[in-house]
Amino acid sequence: MSEPQTLTVDVNGFPCRVWRKGSGPVLGWLAGFGGLPRWTPFLDRLAEKRSVIVPSLPGFPGATGHTLLDNHLDWIVAVRGLLAKAGLDGADLGGASVGGSFAAEMAAIFPASVKRLVLLAPFGLFDEKDPPTDPWAQRNDNVAGLMCADPEKWKSLVAPPEGANSIEWPIEMTRAAEAAARAFWPLGNTQLAKRLPLIEAPTLIVWGDQDRIQPPSYAKTFASGIKGKTIIKTIPKAGHLADLDQPDAVAEAILDWLG
Amino acid sequence: MKLMWFHLMPYTELPDDFNQKHPSVWVDIHSSLFDPKRAHHMYNDFMDELEFAAECGYDAVCVNEHHSNGYGLMPSPNLIASSLARRTTDTALCVMGNSLALYNPPTRVAEEFAMIDCISGGRLIAGFPVGSPMDTCYAYGQNPSMLRERYYEAHDLVKKAWTEKETFAFNGRFNQQRYVNIWPRPIQNDPHPPIWIPGGGSIETWRWCAEMDYVYCYLSYYGYKAGLTTMQGFWKEMEKLGKDRNPYRAGFLQFVGVAESREQALELYTEPAEYFYGRCLHVDARFATPPGYTTEATQRAGIQSMVARAANTASYQSKLSMKATNMKDIVDGGYVIIGSPDEVVEQIRHVATSLNVGHLMLLLQYGNMSKATTQYNTRLFAEKVMPKVKDLFSDWEDKWWPKPMKRAERASIPAFQPRIAAE
């Protein structure tokens, strides 16, 4: 697995990291809860067939500037600016978890900016009868098992790499959780349900069958709310961050659908 | 020095197996444990105790704000303070305090505090805590990533609402109000009621208190031994900023149990202390660290330096890890000072001088302590301890104490017989 090319773009005066790898048609990807402290096998699989562009949202690893974003409109505008600067205008766009929620917003509010949409267990909805788990009220030792079906997958995502700054690394991991909280506290409900009918892009909805954060039942809510053609794909033996648990299966589902 | 009588208002009848059967005393404590008819008696006992303390001559009575909390039954300390404003005469009323970011609009705090100040004839101390993670982020749903920004903005708004003479528009990031013009206005208007800031051990808070000339209060449940490094850090920072060592810049919370002898004190106070440190501090760790609540600068300092490691004893996470719950450890750790009056005098003098704290906030009721024991503790402290420690810091001026109306100018409260009411 080779490292991607790294660029930095400016959003509201703060740097945001943009990774790029592979060739072929462009596919943008917005990371899930915790962001991407390192390049992952899932992205590598996508890069075998596509030019994968992975911008870091403000406050997630590789990017700052979340502290300027005070409301959902601020976030929407920042994400839109970031995607445009990352060269993703009009491209296929996907995202997981918190990133998936912003991908859906882009397709809803700026329809011309997203060709086809991939949503992997996105945030944004709240059903009182089947509420999402609170990811910010967890004991430390409980988080890995909530994020992934195989807790080791989460642990290796966030483990400091050799040579990492021992002070800044844990702060960066906390910052990612804070950035997600800033956008989605307290329930994860951004009233995205109201905007699903604006999404006309064909949409692939992917969910881990063992998602302990966002209930898999929400896949149907997304499918029935989105105006464009939708397909639901369930990934076995995968938790909330299914791309970490089952990189091959998730990448394959996406690449097959994109064709 | 000033001796202030603080009440947390703990629910006194949590079951013996509370810690085994329930994950947390805070945030999701089960409603079935709350008996409103018992709470009727608890509230009235607690208010009797506060009034009794005022009668005994404490410089202030103190109340604070908690939400969804089995050891703090005051979601609105202002309600209690307004009652105390009528049932006390010369005692300062220390509301410690209102968590500013929880009020929408925050001018509500400016108004209610002004009411208390007016009713009491200018006896209010206005405490502005950020508030604990459990109260603010979980029970009240505030976004931890914006809590401090909202807090500072609300502070600016409240202060301006108190001091600005003309109706003004407030155009904040989080609060926008076209017409800010509070009625009533505080009696203490030169320039406003004293502002005290209860905080943890963050250097940013110390600096802010110094810059604004506010009193910094370290309200730890873990006593003077654990608090020493924090207070040393505070004074070191004051020195760096060119501030004097006026002990009235600081407040500190200390549990005390005084009796005729140390043995009797142990007999009287072991159960309530173990109830408090066992059941009342049984907080689920998942509510301790919402991301963003602790600033990155404080996190960085916490990882880096010894000062902040000490300061970190103020963090909720470290608090939860302390957890001494038997009386020997509680006393050895200095969480609760116990002893005969003379033994307590010696320890209080040591606490005040070693921490250099002029405002000592005393918890003389804790856990399931009965009204009778509380009043015994309160009276004995007032009679036998207070006179032997009051002389401390007499060289310093307390510039942060309320300046009430002269007694002769204040309203007389009819049909009020405090001794009968309290006993």
Side-chain angles (χ1 to χ4, degrees):
Chain A
M1 197 168 71
S2 65
E3 292 298 306
Q5 182 193 358
T6 303
L7 307 167
T8 302
V9 300
D10 178 284
V11 176
N12 295 323
F14 287 86
C16 291
R17 179 193 72 197
V18 179
W19 276 334
R20 187 181 180 117
K21 188 172 176 182
S23 55
V26 169
L27 168 62
W29 187 260
L30 300 176
F33 197 92
L36 288 168
R38 45 167 48 90
W39 184 253
T40 64
F42 162 72
L43 298 170
D44 224 50
R45 282 294 318 275
L46 294 179
E48 287 170 11
K49 302 222 170 127
R50 313 280 295 197
S51 294
V52 179
I53 296 178
V54 187
S56 277
L57 301 178
F60 290 82
T64 51
H66 61 294
T67 49
L68 283 188
L69 309 178
D70 294 337
N71 52 52
H72 204 53
L73 184 57
D74 284 352
W75 277 97
I76 298 293
V77 172
V79 174
R80 168 76 185 125
L82 171 61
L83 296 189
K85 287 185 175 177
L88 282 166
D89 226 353
D92 294 326
L93 179 67
S97 169
V98 291
S101 192
F102 283 117
E105 297 281 13
M106 293 301 110
I109 302 170
F110 309 102
S113 74
V114 179
K115 194 172 157 198
R116 286 173 295 179
L117 180 65
V118 178
L119 301 177
L120 171 54
F123 273 51
L125 307 185
F126 187 91
D127 178 353
E128 279 174 26
K129 293 187 202 86
D130 193 6
T133 302
D134 182 350
W136 302 286
Q138 299 300 333
R139 296 174 209 191
N140 283 340
D141 56 3
N142 212 18
V143 173
L146 283 173
M147 290 297 157
C148 290
D150 174 6
E152 294 307 316
K153 293 282 170 65
W154 169 263
K155 287 180 193 163
S156 26
L157 178 80
V158 299
E162 209 172 312
N165 183 318
S166 61
I167 291 160
E168 294 306 317
W169 183 269
I171 289 174
E172 201 170 344
M173 298 305 104
T174 303
R175 189 186 299 141
E178 179 191 342
R182 197 167 177 101
F184 293 96
W185 188 276
L187 301 179
N189 182 6
T190 52
Q191 316 278 0
L192 176 58
K194 290 183 188 172
R195 295 177 291 279
L196 292 180
L198 301 176
I199 299 176
E200 295 187 8
T203 304
L204 172 66
I205 300 160
V206 186
W207 229 283
D209 69 344
Q210 295 171 31
D211 192 331
R212 294 178 61 201
I213 296 285
Q214 295 291 333
S217 65
Y218 287 19
K220 280 185 194 149
T221 315
F222 274 96
S224 59
I226 289 170
K227 190 176 176 191
K229 190 166 182 252
T230 58
I231 290 178
I232 297 174
K233 175 85 182 168
T234 302
I235 306 294
K237 294 181 190 161
H240 179 58
L241 299 174
D243 55 318
L244 293 181
D245 272 319
Q246 302 296 341
D248 292 346
V250 177
E252 201 178 297
I254 294 169
L255 293 171
D256 282 355
W257 181 75
L258 290 172
Chain B
M1 71 179 301
K2 297 289 200 308
L3 295 153
M4 308 169 68
W5 201 98
F6 203 121
H7 215 316
L8 292 172
M9 299 202 173
Y11 194 83
T12 55
E13 296 176 8
L14 297 173
D16 291 343
D17 60 0
F18 176 73
N19 291 24
Q20 288 75 49
K21 291 209 172 142
H22 298 271
S24 190
V25 76
W26 212 338
V27 183
D28 59 356
I29 182 171
H30 203 271
S31 65
S32 61
L33 298 173
F34 189 88
D35 180 341
K37 288 178 180 163
R38 295 299 306 145
H40 162 75
H41 288 282
M42 291 175 205
Y43 276 121
N44 281 283
D45 282 352
F46 296 156
M47 291 165 86
D48 286 349
E49 289 159 18
L50 282 156
E51 291 165 15
F52 182 83
E55 274 290 289
C56 286
Y58 288 84
D59 294 294
V61 282
C62 317
V63 288
N64 72 344
E65 172 178 337
H66 282 306
H67 301 277
S68 313
N69 184 327
Y71 78 73
L73 297 184
M74 283 181 282
S76 173
N78 302 359
L79 296 180
I80 305 296
S82 71
S83 168
L84 290 170
R86 289 275 296 176
R87 303 280 292 244
T88 61
T89 49
D90 295 313
T91 318
L93 303 175
C94 177
V95 182
M96 202 79 236
N98 286 180
S99 295
L100 291 171
L102 303 185
Y103 296 80
N104 183 13
T107 39
R108 181 83 186 186
V109 174
E111 292 171 331
E112 291 192 3
F113 273 181
M115 283 179 73
I116 295 170
D117 206 46
C118 283
I119 296 168
S120 69
R123 289 183 282 140
L124 175 75
I125 294 167
F128 292 153
V130 170
S132 74
M134 301 78 167
D135 289 313
T136 57
C137 299
Y138 295 108
Y140 258 44
Q142 284 295 311
N143 193 316
S145 181
M146 297 183 211
L147 183 70
R148 271 162 218 278
E149 289 157 334
R150 284 181 177 275
Y151 166 80
Y152 286 120
E153 180 178 302
H155 158 271
D156 295 347
L157 172 51
V158 168
K159 199 163 156 177
K160 194 168 178 190
W162 276 343
T163 52
E164 176 66 50
K165 303 285 181 259
E166 303 298 326
T167 302
F168 65 93
F170 188 81
N171 179 32
R173 264 173 93 175
F174 307 103
N175 301 280
Q176 280 138 30
Q177 268 173 279
R178 174 70 76 174
Y179 305 103
V180 182
N181 176 30
I182 60 154
W183 272 66
R185 302 241 158 192
I187 284 176
Q188 300 183 82
N189 57 5
D190 184 23
H192 52 71
I195 294 176
W196 294 21
I197 309 294
S202 94
I203 294 167
E204 295 130 304
T205 305
W206 296 342
R207 286 182 186 152
W208 189 64
C209 287
E211 183 195 334
M212 307 304 285
D213 205 25
Y214 294 160
V215 171
Y216 166 74
C217 303
Y218 184 44
L219 307 185
S220 156
Y221 300 135
Y222 295 99
Y224 66 102
K225 289 182 185 171
L228 180 64
T229 3
T230 299
M231 291 314 298
Q232 282 173 337
F234 170 75
W235 288 115
K236 208 172 158 190
E237 191 61 30
M238 291 307 108
E239 192 185 348
K240 242 192 250 173
L241 298 169
K243 299 289 177 185
D244 61 26
R245 278 181 63 81
N246 188 332
Y248 295 110
R249 289 187 183 283
F252 188 79
L253 184 76
Q254 180 65 54
F255 289 60
V256 178
V258 61
E260 294 305 326
S261 66
R262 187 180 166 86
E263 292 67 37
Q264 197 201 343
L266 278 170
E267 204 171 294
L268 279 175
Y269 304 118
T270 294
E271 190 195 334
E274 290 185 347
Y275 179 100
F276 183 81
Y277 288 97
R279 285 173 233 183
C280 294
L281 297 189
H282 176 59
V283 180
D284 194 329
R286 73 196 187 96
F287 300 127
T289 51
Y293 179 86
T294 305
T295 65
E296 291 190 3
T298 302
Q299 290 177 52
R300 205 163 275 126
I303 301 167
Q304 269 171 331
S305 80
M306 288 301 290
V307 173
R309 204 165 299 160
N312 250 358
T313 54
S315 85
Y316 287 91
Q317 204 170 26
S318 332
K319 274 182 180 176
L320 294 170
S321 66
M322 297 183 84
K323 287 268 183 194
T325 52
N326 68 76
M327 193 58 170
K328 184 180 182 308
D329 294 343
I330 289 167
V331 172
D332 288 352
Y335 304 180
V336 180
I337 287 174
I338 62 145
S340 67
D342 285 344
E343 288 165 344
V344 171
V345 166
E346 191 185 330
Q347 293 175 82
I348 294 287
R349 292 187 77 90
H350 172 72
V351 171
T353 50
S354 62
L355 273 54
N356 195 43
V357 167
H359 300 118
L360 195 60
M361 300 170 174
L362 300 155
L363 271 172
L364 294 163
Q365 192 288 341
Y366 34 86
N368 59 357
M369 195 186 294
S370 69
K371 182 161 80 173
T373 306
T374 303
Q375 292 188 341
Y376 170 79
N377 197 16
T378 301
R379 187 200 296 271
L380 195 60
F381 189 98
E383 288 176 357
K384 301 271 181 67
V385 179
M386 205 187 285
K388 294 184 179 174
V389 297
K390 278 297 280 182
D391 63 296
L392 282 166
F393 309 127
S394 51
D395 295 345
W396 291 97
E397 183 197 353
D398 188 347
K399 293 184 281 187
W400 300 271
W401 198 253
K403 295 177 183 69
M405 293 164 65
K406 287 186 190 125
R407 195 158 186 199
E409 294 172 358
R410 276 188 254 150
S412 57
I413 313 284
F416 171 40
Q417 295 174 287
R419 220 161 255 293
I420 293 165
E423 287 182 347

